Amino acid sequence: MSHDRQSLQLTRRLASSRLHRRHAAPLRLSTTPVAAGCAVPWATTHTLSPLPQSMVREAGMFELLAAEMRIAELERQLAETQAVACTDPLTGAANRRGLQNAFERELARVVRSGEALSLVVLDIDNFKRVNDTHGHSRGDQALVHLVRVLRTALRPVDLVARLGGEEFALLLSGAGRDEALATMARLQRELEVQPLPELGLKLTFSAGVAMRQSDESLEQLLGRADMAAYAAKHAGKNRVVGA
């Protein structure tokens, strides 16, 4: 169990125990004789008067509010931590863990709805030349630029993930093979009219498209799409091949 989840549970337990103590029996004070058979004049048992119920309720409400605020803050911090763990720090695209999580969510949905689910593996053409000619900082800019163009052109439900280096994956929800191929052709046109700023360099990519088959895992789907991308690369680059 993570530290943040433990903190959430501890906060809830503390809030609950404090409220229960509000309703405990009234406090009683007693004294012990100072000597055998002798007691100080006030040495009797006294019962403190209970607090008005309105004060007890108000105090309980304040404790609940404070606990809820603390829980909300811990949940926010936990969500941020999970988002960082699933995101590529350079491009802001999902990483492999983010892709796995998205695939599992989409798989559960498409199984219920019967819709298609396609995955694309794409590789920037001649990326090594970009690094060697213009430097690694420009190479990083090219990666960020590509992700920005892809996200702008794709639907909000589609996912862009960085697999490593200049290799990316797109998870296209509800898209069959033909629709995925048409989407990739449109993305090629978008990159054609949106060159890398300052350099004016036009990026191209080779991509493979695979539509998920029954009982196919993410790794199997990635493997088929990757093989199609490899075929596109060796067929002349700047093209898309369907698996």
Side-chain angles (χ1 to χ4, degrees), residues 97-131:
R97 179 183 296 181
L99 175 61
Q100 179 69 50
N101 292 344
F103 177 79
E104 292 173 358
R105 290 194 303 269
E106 285 303 304
L107 182 59
R109 189 184 66 80
V110 300
V111 167
R112 291 193 305 268
S113 65
E115 294 180 336
L117 180 63
S118 291
L119 185 135
V120 179
V121 171
L122 69 87
D123 191 270
I124 299 177
D125 295 326
N126 305 313
F127 185 71
K128 185 177 183 301
R129 186 185 304 168
V130 175
N131 279 330

